Amino acid sequence: QVQLVESGGGLVQPGGSLGLSCAASGSIFKIRDMGWYRQAPGKQRELVATITSDGVANYPDSVKGRFTISRDNAKNTVYLQMNSLKPEDTAVYYCNARISTVEGVVVTSQYWGQGTQVTVSS
């Protein structure tokens, strides 16, 4: 059983900063790509940032230069530092990871966290 547990959401004023973290736990053989997605009310879930196991990050234009994704492989944790936040960044943020487990053979699956609310408002 693998779990992703997020923390760090909350309310912040426009232009402010907020940090999120997501820790993976369970019977983990290897964590491959990790990432963050978000979903605003009435909208589809969208990519916010991804990072490979080697630390190569990728961002869409909407957050590039404002958000930074990082990971600590020893702690099985991924982070998202969000700066210069805008009201349009308001959403539920979800952690995502491709994780390999050993169940007789190596099985790689996608896992999601429960989501954490980020609200940017004055």
Side-chain angles (χ1 to χ4, degrees), residues 1 36 68 72 76 81 96 100 117:
Q1 193 82 8
W36 292 93
T68 302
D72 185 332
N76 290 341
Q81 179 63 38
N96 171 270
S100 295
Q117 178 70 46

Side-chain angles (χ1 to χ4, degrees), residues 5-68:
V5 179
E6 299 134 341
S7 60
L11 173 65
V12 63
Q13 292 187 339
S17 298
L18 202 61
L20 305 180
S21 63
C22 171
S25 63
S27 301
I28 297 170
F29 173 67
K30 182 178 177 62
I31 301 179
R32 304 183 186 280
D33 296 350
M34 303 185 83
W36 292 93
Y37 290 73
R38 66 186 181 188
Q39 188 166 19
K43 295 188 176 182
Q44 289 189 333
R45 191 171 296 189
E46 63 176 3
L47 172 70
V48 175
T50 60
I51 186 167
T52 68
S53 56
D54 295 328
V56 177
N58 181 57
Y59 308 92
D61 289 342
S62 58
V63 307
K64 195 174 293 184
R66 299 188 299 122
F67 291 11
T68 302

Side-chain angles (χ1 to χ4, degrees), residues 70-92:
S70 60
R71 63 190 284 175
D72 185 332
N73 291 331
K75 295 182 179 180
N76 290 341
T77 300
V78 62
Y79 306 94
L80 185 67
Q81 179 63 38
M82 303 180 290
N83 298 328
S84 302
L85 282 160
K86 305 175 182 179
E88 51 263 43
D89 294 318
T90 295
V92 177

Side-chain angles (χ1 to χ4, degrees), residues 77-115:
T77 300
V78 62
Y79 306 94
L80 185 67
Q81 179 63 38
M82 303 180 290
N83 298 328
S84 302
L85 282 160
K86 305 175 182 179
E88 51 263 43
D89 294 318
T90 295
V92 177
Y93 283 69
Y94 296 91
C95 174
N96 171 270
R98 268 195 324 132
I99 297 175
S100 295
T101 57
V102 179
E103 302 168 18
V105 296
V106 176
V107 177
T108 300
S109 303
Q110 292 269 0
Y111 293 89
W112 292 91
Q114 80 283 1

